[in-house]
């Protein structure tokens, strides 16, 4: 079982930038896909961005051009940088790990292991 711990959430103003961090309990090089999801009140959890063990990346249309997912394998960490934040980006952001996905499915991972989430609130 992979344990994940997120950090970096907070209250920011519209237009600001924020970087979320996720630390895994084991080597992310052995995890087929790491991803960030988010869930806003009253809405379903949705994929924001994913990064495969091979370094491939996928972004949800709603964040294309405003988000960058990256990783530091030496530190077992994954990051999500969000720019030009909007009020509608307000949500709990979750880090996930998926050891079972294969091929293209990893770009659309549904997640298997989850962190506890970190709240991001965008408000003026």
């Amino acid at each position: 079982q992979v344990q994940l711990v997120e950090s970096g959430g907070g209250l920011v103003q519209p237009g600001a930038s924020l970087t979320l961090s996720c630390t895994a309990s084991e080597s992310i090089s052995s995890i087929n896909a790491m991803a960030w999801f988010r869930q806003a009140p009253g809405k379903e959890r949705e994929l924001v961005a994913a990064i495969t063990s091979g370094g491939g990346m996928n972004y949800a249309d709603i964040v294309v051009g405003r988000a960058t997912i990256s990783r530091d394998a030496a530190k077992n960490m994954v990051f999500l940088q969000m720019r030009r934040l909007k009020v509608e980006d307000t949500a709990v952001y979750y880090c996930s790990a998926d050891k079972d996905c294969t091929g293209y499915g990893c770009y659309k991972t549904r997640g298997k292991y989850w962190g506890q989430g970190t709240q991001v609130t965008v408000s003026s």
Side-chain angles (χ1 to χ4, degrees), residues 4-111:
L4 304 166
V5 179
E6 303 100 334
S7 62
L11 172 63
V12 297
Q13 292 188 337
S17 298
L18 194 69
T19 298
L20 305 179
S21 301
C22 171
T23 303
S25 59
E26 64 182 70
S27 173
I28 62 173
S29 297
S30 65
I31 299 173
N32 294 350
M34 298 291 296
W36 287 94
F37 287 75
R38 71 185 187 186
Q39 187 167 21
K43 295 187 177 181
E44 293 186 354
R45 190 173 298 189
E46 60 182 355
L47 177 66
V48 177
I51 186 166
T52 70
S53 58
M57 291 168 279
N58 180 46
Y59 296 94
D61 290 343
I62 51 175
V63 299
V64 166
R66 300 191 299 119
T68 301
I69 188 169
S70 61
R71 62 183 183 176
D72 184 337
K75 297 181 179 180
N76 296 332
M77 295 184 72
V78 177
F79 307 94
L80 180 69
Q81 182 188 46
M82 294 283 293
R83 303 175 294 278
R84 302 192 301 280
L85 283 160
K86 305 176 181 180
V87 172
E88 50 265 44
D89 291 319
T90 296
V92 178
Y93 284 70
Y94 296 92
C95 179
S96 76
D98 188 348
K99 291 185 171 183
D100 299 332
C101 65
T102 58
Y104 181 76
C106 290
Y107 291 91
K108 297 287 187 179
T109 175
R110 295 183 179 183

